[in-house]
Amino acid sequence: MPYANNTAARVSYSTWLMHFCTSVSWRVLRAALERNEFAAWPAEAVARIHVADAAWREVLLGKRPHAGLQQQHMLPLDQIESTTGVGLVPNINRYLMRAVQMDLCVAGDTIFTFAKLGRFIILGFVHEPKMDRWKGTKVHATAGFIEPRKYTVPGMLAHYLNEKADKMAEALRSMSDTQHAKVDKAFRDNVDQYIDSDAYDAMVADLEMFGEAAFSKR
């Protein structure tokens, strides 16, 4: 709540944040395990997943203070005013500020769980041979701060987020007429609550960046 109310604030945390992030990452990993999402992955990658599963479980059971190389990272988000290098989709702010999503990601030797909870992304690293590519995002085991600062992440993450935002827009566009009518009615019935809400701010941010392209075409 402190960050949601003021993204310029300096918010302190203690050991609870490590436990919270670990619990989220572990549940994302367990969901992937139960769905057997990586049955065709190389044996080495599968073994690393089981190592992370055991390490995070031990953290949650209080058997160790942190998971060592299987680190937890958090990236706070806010609206984008400008960008270079990536052609962003016209609903990117609504995705970054509002969407909820989980995934198990792999890029080369890098494997991590991805949990997006509104304005926060929680990453649980199963394996990352180049951890120095991630700067400012590490969740410390004892204490730290969530605050405005320079965050450095690999370019692949920006492309991933852009792709997921595009898929979210496509899902909205593909709604049936009946579904669309229900959403439209719910919006109109609660329009007073929408004004000045976080969802409203996200929509305005997209309108300021993309104009009419921010609206869904049906």
Side-chain angles (χ1 to χ4, degrees):
M1 287 303 298
Y3 178 81
N5 290 333
N6 180 12
T7 55
R10 189 174 195 241
V11 183
S12 64
Y13 65 82
S14 60
T15 55
W16 60 266
L17 186 60
M18 170 63 74
H19 284 269
F20 173 72
C21 291
T22 302
S23 74
V24 172
S25 297
W26 180 73
R27 281 178 278 179
V28 173
L29 190 64
R30 290 304 307 177
L33 281 165
E34 291 172 8
R35 292 193 296 263
N36 201 25
E37 290 184 356
F38 41 83
W41 288 21
E44 185 178 22
V46 175
R48 286 169 174 161
I49 287 171
H50 287 291
V51 168
D53 176 37
W56 293 342
R57 184 192 299 267
E58 289 182 358
V59 171
L60 296 176
L61 292 175
K63 294 182 178 180
R64 53 197 294 187
H66 58 80
L69 294 177
Q70 286 72 43
Q71 298 177 5
Q72 298 297 319
H73 286 236
M74 175 180 281
L75 180 64
L77 303 170
D78 200 356
Q79 74 178 68
I80 294 175
E81 294 182 350
S82 62
T83 183
T84 58
V86 178
L88 297 177
V89 295
N91 68 318
I92 188 65
N93 282 297
R94 278 165 287 174
Y95 174 78
L96 293 179
M97 297 167 66
R98 300 291 299 167
V100 175
Q101 177 198 347
M102 70 177 188
D103 204 356
L104 178 63
C105 303
V106 58
D109 290 335
T110 300
I111 306 171
F112 58 88
T113 58
F114 174 95
K116 187 177 179 305
L117 308 175
R119 292 193 181 207
F120 293 91
I121 293 175
I122 297 172
L123 304 171
F125 283 100
V126 173
H127 183 69
E128 173 54 285
K130 299 178 181 178
M131 195 61 77
D132 59 349
R133 298 187 298 175
W134 306 82
K135 297 178 181 178
T137 57
K138 183 179 179 180
V139 176
H140 299 285
T142 55
F145 295 93
I146 299 172
E147 60 186 337
R149 59 171 171 253
K150 182 178 180 179
Y151 292 90
T152 301
V153 299
M156 65 176 181
L157 185 64
H159 291 287
Y160 174 82
L161 296 176
N162 204 40
E163 177 185 335
K164 292 300 180 182
D166 190 42
K167 288 184 177 179
M168 184 179 78
E170 179 58 35
L172 292 174
R173 288 193 294 267
S174 65
M175 285 195 307
S176 67
D177 291 340
T178 300
Q179 289 174 314
H180 180 76
K182 289 180 179 179
V183 171
D184 188 61
K185 183 179 184 303
F187 169 76
R188 293 177 185 277
D189 289 346
N190 297 279
V191 67
D192 290 340
Q193 298 178 24
Y194 179 70
I195 302 300
D196 294 329
S197 69
D198 201 45
Y200 176 81
D201 291 342
M203 183 71 206
V204 169
D206 280 334
L207 283 169
E208 289 176 347
M209 284 189 70
F210 304 104
E212 291 188 1
F215 290 103
S216 176
K217 304 295 189 296
R218 289 180 55 78

